[in-house]
Amino acid sequence: MADSVFYPRLIEARLAEALEDAPVVLIHGPRQCGKTTLAQYGYAPKHLGWAERLADRGAERVSADYAYITFDDTVVREGAQADPVGFVAGLPERAILDEVQRVPEIFAALKAAVDRHRLPGRFILTGSSNVLLVPTLSDSLAGRMEIVRLHPLAQVELAGVDGKEGFLDALFGGGFEPGQSERLGAALATRIVSGGFPAALARPQGRRQGNWYRNYVETLVQRDVRDLAHIRRPDALARLLSAAASQTARLYNLSELASPLQVTRPTVAEYVALLERLFLVDPLLPWHSNRLSRLVKTPKLHIGDTGLAAALLNLDAAALAADRSLLGRMLETFVLQELKRQASWSDTETEFFHFRDRDGAEVDVVLERGPGALAGVEVKASATVTRSDFRSLQKLADALGERFVAGVVLYDGENVVSFGERFKAVPIRRLWAPGLPHGDGP
């Protein structure tokens, strides 16, 4: 990969730790998000220049060379499918097995191999399908495999920020430094439609990025989907993904998704589950509590990456900026995915929900971190915030009591402004530069 499009990944330290602890480590996430680059360029011997650059950043890594095998190679894949036991027996002591979801037969053979020789960091697997949603696969390596979730690039990574004291730390205790940040303005829509896939970001913004995303969907439908399930209507699956993009940040409504596709509701539900396995859609579960009644218990449907959503809807930055309603929902998805990407390398586990009740109160993102600390994030595309924007956050805070740590309204403004002891309006730019009011990137 050329240096011009190389992005060190902040999850690398977590990967190095996992390789010290578990005999099998699976890096999974959507295709083309950087899994192979993270594994191969970090650990295969012919790419040590990448690892040296990581070492310069203070990241530790396992000092071992890995053979690299990809199951995108037809001959390799068919050989492994025909004789998985023999294939695994012929592997060197350490190996990277790329796109392992294409050969599910191999999981049982890997289990037997690591039980005979339980060496930490023996196998690095990469997968473009969520094996956690296929219990027969994940259970076969239970107690032997650690999973590292890799997302598309976070804005923090694009900005070159180290991520050690990020937005989540500021939200849950560190606080947001006062000071002025420059408004994003038109650049906000540009960031949303560009998304986070490295290969797309290597292209000029606009039509050429959109072409990459549309070709990406076509390739997935023609190849990866057929590996996972027998789909009678691949055209309907692609149109369903477009429909999901148009519904991002809305409550999951199966009837609305099914109505234009001329397929049954059970089929649409099956297809949505398949898109979730491929990390293309991302349902956000509702937060609930016995202390609040009349809660809406329907998940929200979010697309996995806003660049993908924009391309499916044929939106460039100008068109998105002109549609304020859609801009608000796409921004909500953009913020959620950035928070999840930052949480993936955090030392403290964070869970994500949304909050809505039947009286109209709603909080876009509810975060639960560590032993019961919760915070709420509301998202606005405008440059102003008023006290009324905190009403739903206040309702959530009243229900949670001392468990409620902070409520933030993210907006496209310039200043961190307090609206009470636990409530602040925070510029969206602080999402990837929480402690840098000046010089925090474009």
Side-chain angles (χ1 to χ4, degrees):
M1 179 176 289
D3 284 344
S4 61
V5 293
F6 170 80
Y7 301 97
R9 305 306 299 267
L10 295 176
I11 198 74
E12 201 276 343
R14 289 282 302 276
L15 173 59
E17 289 177 357
L19 290 168
E20 293 176 354
D21 295 334
V24 181
V25 176
L26 170 66
I27 308 169
H28 74 174
R31 186 177 279 274
Q32 293 288 326
C33 73
K35 301 183 301 297
T36 303
T37 302
L38 177 62
Q40 186 180 13
Y41 282 62
Y43 296 93
K46 63 181 178 179
H47 298 298
L48 288 179
W50 187 86
E52 289 163 359
R53 286 197 291 273
L54 284 167
D56 290 341
R57 292 164 52 87
E60 297 180 0
R61 63 186 289 272
V62 174
S63 58
D65 294 340
Y66 284 72
Y68 173 75
I69 300 101
T70 176
F71 292 124
D72 278 341
D73 184 306
T74 302
V75 175
V76 173
R77 182 173 67 254
E78 292 185 353
Q81 290 169 336
D83 182 15
V85 174
F87 179 85
V88 172
L91 292 173
E93 186 174 67
R94 297 183 187 271
I96 298 168
L97 303 179
D98 201 12
E99 299 298 347
V100 73
Q101 83 282 348
R102 305 197 75 182
V103 189
E105 301 89 345
I106 205 171
F107 278 74
L110 288 171
K111 173 183 179 296
V114 298
D115 284 348
R116 287 192 298 269
H117 181 37
R118 201 176 180 92
L119 175 71
R122 184 174 177 187
F123 296 117
I124 301 175
L125 315 180
T126 80
S128 298
S129 172
N130 191 342
V131 300
L132 295 176
L133 300 179
V134 187
T136 55
L137 296 185
S138 58
D139 290 349
S140 65
L141 287 170
R144 304 164 182 85
M145 180 173 71
E146 189 161 337
I147 295 177
V148 174
R149 169 68 194 276
L150 186 67
H151 297 260
L153 286 160
Q155 297 299 308
V156 168
E157 292 169 316
L158 292 172
V161 179
D162 63 21
K164 292 179 181 177
E165 295 182 1
F167 181 89
L168 293 174
D169 292 325
L171 179 66
F172 279 93
F176 296 93
E177 293 183 13
Q180 193 171 62
S181 296
E182 184 181 352
R183 286 191 62 229
L184 286 161
L188 180 58
T190 299
R191 284 179 181 266
I192 292 171
V193 302
S194 295
F197 283 85
L201 289 165
R203 294 188 175 194
Q205 294 172 353
R207 177 178 55 83
R208 289 167 66 180
Q209 281 187 351
N211 287 341
W212 185 90
Y213 281 112
R214 285 184 283 273
N215 291 333
Y216 172 81
V217 172
E218 182 177 352
T219 300
L220 282 178
V221 171
Q222 296 300 322
R223 180 175 59 182
D224 287 19
V225 167
R226 291 183 178 181
D227 287 341
L228 296 174
H230 176 66
I231 299 295
R232 291 172 294 174
R233 294 280 307 279
D235 62 312
L237 186 69
R239 286 190 290 127
L240 174 63
L241 185 56
S242 296
S246 70
Q247 298 290 322
T248 194
R250 286 183 174 168
L251 293 179
Y252 177 33
N253 188 316
L254 188 57
S255 296
E256 285 189 12
L257 291 173
S259 60
L261 301 179
Q262 298 181 330
V263 294
T264 65
R265 284 167 51 96
T267 298
V268 170
E270 176 188 341
Y271 284 7
V272 169
L274 180 57
L275 293 174
E276 185 180 356
R277 279 182 63 188
L278 292 169
F279 305 100
L280 298 178
V281 298
D282 187 15
L284 183 64
L285 296 177
W287 180 83
H288 58 86
S289 169
N290 294 332
R291 297 181 64 180
L292 286 174
S293 60
R294 297 174 55 78
L295 291 179
V296 173
K297 298 182 180 180
T298 304
K300 268 189 174 182
L301 189 65
H302 284 273
I303 204 76
D305 183 85
T306 55
L308 178 63
L312 290 169
L313 299 175
N314 293 311
L315 290 170
D316 60 13
L320 178 61
D323 187 335
R324 300 300 296 180
S325 175
L326 184 56
L327 174 63
R329 291 191 290 108
M330 290 278 277
L331 178 59
E332 183 181 331
T333 295
F334 175 83
V335 167
L336 172 67
Q337 299 304 351
E338 178 66 17
L339 291 171
K340 285 193 168 187
R341 292 168 194 187
Q342 293 187 27
S344 69
W345 62 74
S346 173
D347 290 335
T348 306
E349 189 73 21
T350 304
E351 295 186 83
F352 293 85
F353 308 91
H354 77 92
F355 165 77
R356 180 178 294 200
D357 68 17
R358 300 186 188 279
D359 298 322
E362 58 180 300
V363 176
D364 295 329
V365 186
V366 177
L367 305 90
E368 184 168 6
R369 198 182 201 205
L374 285 98
V377 174
E378 271 283 278
V379 183
K380 289 190 66 177
S382 69
T384 59
V385 176
T386 66
R387 187 167 299 279
S388 64
D389 293 315
F390 289 86
R391 287 174 182 165
S392 297
L393 287 166
Q394 183 66 64
K395 189 169 188 177
L396 182 64
D398 291 342
L400 288 170
E402 293 184 358
R403 294 179 64 200
F404 185 83
V405 173
V408 162
V409 175
L410 287 172
Y411 75 120
D412 190 22
E414 298 177 343
N415 295 292
V416 175
V417 181
S418 175
F419 280 79
E421 182 181 356
R422 294 180 290 179
F423 301 100
K424 284 184 171 63
V426 177
I428 289 172
R429 187 184 289 273
R430 295 293 189 93
L431 191 57
W432 53 91
L436 298 172
H438 302 290
D440 51 351

